[in-house]
């Protein structure tokens, strides 16, 4: 009887470890590019992220010193999403969906606002290694 409890305990521990390993922790600084659809030149992109379970907070911008906070950040497995309000009255927004693979993430940013301020692009980021 004790052996079956031990086996069940080990099996549950292994399953919980596998679940924990499948959800990456994205807390940290990320640097890369935003390639807007229909344009040839990539623009710099920089994110500062803080993950608490499946909740994500932080900011994004072209570099570490120019950042806009985002809201509604979520982490679901290897996918993360958030929205960045745009404009003085938040009349527009940028919706970001990313997939994490190790120390890299890729995805799309789609922004909307009063015409003609809408579009989308590919975002590619790598984790910044702190020195």
């Amino acid at each position: 009887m004790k052996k079956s409890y031990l086996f069940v305990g080990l099996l549950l521990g292994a399953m919980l470890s596998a679940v924990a390993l499948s959800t990456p922790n994205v807390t940290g600084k990320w640097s890369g590019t935003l390639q807007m659809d229909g344009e040839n030149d990539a623009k710099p992109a920089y994110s500062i992220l803080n993950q608490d379970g499946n909740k994500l907070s932080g900011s994004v911008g072209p570099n570490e010193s120019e950042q806009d906070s985002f809201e509604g950040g979520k982490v679901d497995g290897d996918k993360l999403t958030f929205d960045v309000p745009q404009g003085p009255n938040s009349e527009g927004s940028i919706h970001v969906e990313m997939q994490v693979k190790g120390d890299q993430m890729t995805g799309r940013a789609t922004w909307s606002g009063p015409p003609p301020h809408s579009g989308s692009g590919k975002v590619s980021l790598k984790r910044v290694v702190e020195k």
Side-chain angles (χ1 to χ4, degrees):
M1 188 85 164
K2 286 186 178 184
K3 285 185 180 180
S4 64
Y5 285 122
L6 178 62
F7 176 74
V8 170
L10 290 172
L11 182 61
L12 283 173
M15 290 173 54
L16 290 173
S17 294
V19 169
L21 290 174
S22 69
T23 301
N25 187 335
V26 298
T27 295
K29 298 175 181 178
W30 298 76
S31 179
T33 59
L34 167 63
Q35 179 69 51
M36 296 168 62
D37 294 342
E39 293 189 13
N40 294 325
D41 296 331
K43 298 186 179 350
Y46 198 94
S47 296
I48 302 171
L49 306 176
N50 186 29
Q51 181 178 346
D52 182 12
N54 67 343
K55 295 179 182 176
L56 186 66
S57 60
S59 58
V60 297
N63 56 54
E64 189 172 5
S65 63
E66 295 180 61
Q67 294 284 296
D68 292 315
S69 295
F70 61 77
E71 52 192 37
K74 296 178 187 173
V75 178
D76 184 13
D78 65 348
K79 295 182 181 3
L80 58 96
T81 59
F82 57 85
D83 294 293
V84 185
Q86 296 291 290
N89 299 316
S90 298
E91 62 270 12
S93 70
I94 301 172
H95 178 72
V96 179
E97 295 184 12
M98 303 287 287
Q99 182 172 14
V100 182
K101 290 184 181 175
D103 287 338
Q104 298 184 18
M105 63 174 81
T106 58
R108 306 244 348 131
T110 305
W111 52 96
S112 60
H117 302 288
S118 62
S120 62
K122 180 180 177 184
V123 182
S124 299
L125 301 172
K126 291 183 181 180
R127 188 184 298 272
V128 174
V129 178
E130 297 290 332
K131 296 178 184 178

